[in-house]
Amino acid sequence: MKIKRREDAPLAAPGYAGATKQIVLGPADGSNEIVLRYFSLAEGGATPRHTHDFPHLVKVETGRGVAVDPDGTETPVGAGDYVYVAPNEMHNFENTGSGPFQFICIVPARGEPPASA
């Protein structure tokens, strides 16, 4: 068993401005099949529109934002909401509130390649 606090997880480079990402639990902790990540989007921040060949599960922790679907439809989401993103589904998340928009994102390990040494 591994117990950690999010604030003890190092920051990872998410590859886009206005966002931080932490790998809270993953291969470094012995989880070779799933990875739990924590994202924080600053006011006005967004993840890029993208697809990938794996599903992911999202739980909004704090703030207000939108989940944008393949058609560009923006669905408001906030603390306590859950989102399932299917494999190959175009999507992104945007902060529409004041203050940070933070969410947990769970993916298979192949969805979070190890950082290069």
Side-chain angles (χ1 to χ4, degrees):
M1 180 181 300
K2 180 82 175 204
I3 299 173
K4 292 175 71 175
R5 295 191 55 80
R6 182 181 55 85
E7 50 270 9
D8 295 331
L11 291 176
Y16 39 91
T20 60
K21 176 174 79 171
Q22 294 169 279
I23 308 302
V24 179
L25 294 168
D29 305 298
S31 180
N32 296 317
E33 294 184 27
I34 56 175
V35 177
L36 188 148
R37 311 177 302 181
Y38 195 95
F39 286 85
S40 182
L41 302 180
E43 289 182 33
T47 63
R49 287 197 45 80
H50 65 288
T51 64
H52 36 67
D53 67 351
F54 52 85
H56 61 99
L57 308 175
V58 173
K59 179 187 182 278
V60 179
E61 293 287 288
T62 64
R64 300 289 312 160
V66 293
V68 186
D69 74 10
D71 298 323
T73 301
E74 298 179 351
T75 301
V77 293
D81 287 335
Y82 296 83
V83 180
Y84 170 70
V85 180
N88 302 307
E89 182 177 26
M90 181 68 70
H91 64 282
N92 76 297
F93 295 90
E94 301 174 7
N95 183 341
T96 58
S98 57
F101 175 52
Q102 299 177 317
F103 55 92
I104 292 169
C105 178
I106 299 171
V107 297
R110 66 188 171 88
E112 187 61 50
S116 56

